[in-house]
Amino acid sequence: MIVRKSRAEIEMMRRAGQVVADVHKMLRDIVVPGVTTRELDARAETLIRRAGALPTFKGYKVGREVFPATLCVSINHEIVHGIPSDRVLEEGDVLSVDCGATL
């Protein structure tokens, strides 16, 4: 069954998407060698909450597992859903960041 979104629902989705875009813009400026993925996660959560949104991924449950972070951060050979940690980014690392915001 196809459920059509109302104009208000579409507007809310647009606003949430803008919050995620703002997170990616902010990260572009602070992703440098020496920063930890945990620092990136903390900055993203702050920005999301200041925008009046909630980090969609944080607390997401699959069975008994709960995702502990705001971002999924994968480095180099990692495919997806990397959990931010004290891992320090190094020159030449390939970084993938996934983010969600819920209003």
Side-chain angles (χ1 to χ4, degrees):
M1 180 166 125
I2 297 174
V3 177
R4 294 183 67 177
K5 300 285 185 199
S6 69
R7 288 182 193 263
E9 289 171 319
I10 292 170
E11 175 58 20
M12 191 70 70
M13 291 168 65
R14 186 196 68 75
R15 287 181 44 217
Q18 185 59 58
V19 172
V20 170
D22 291 344
V23 168
H24 282 281
K25 287 176 191 170
M26 179 267 301
L27 291 174
R28 180 178 55 205
D29 295 332
I30 65 169
V31 171
V32 294
V35 71
T36 68
T37 57
R38 190 179 315 279
E39 291 173 72
L40 301 178
D41 189 72
R43 294 282 298 271
E45 182 171 355
T46 297
L47 192 154
I48 289 169
R49 291 188 185 278
R50 284 187 182 156
L54 296 173
T56 303
F57 304 159
K58 192 167 191 169
Y60 182 78
K61 295 179 184 177
V62 178
R64 293 190 309 191
E65 298 294 320
V66 177
F67 194 77
T70 295
L71 301 176
C72 294
V73 181
S74 303
I75 301 172
N76 298 329
H77 66 280
E78 298 169 348
I79 299 174
V80 293
H81 303 143
I83 297 173
S85 67
D86 291 326
R87 182 170 176 183
V88 176
L89 295 180
E90 298 178 13
E91 185 70 38
D93 280 341
V94 176
L95 186 67
S96 171
V97 177
D98 194 11
C99 178
T102 302
L103 289 169

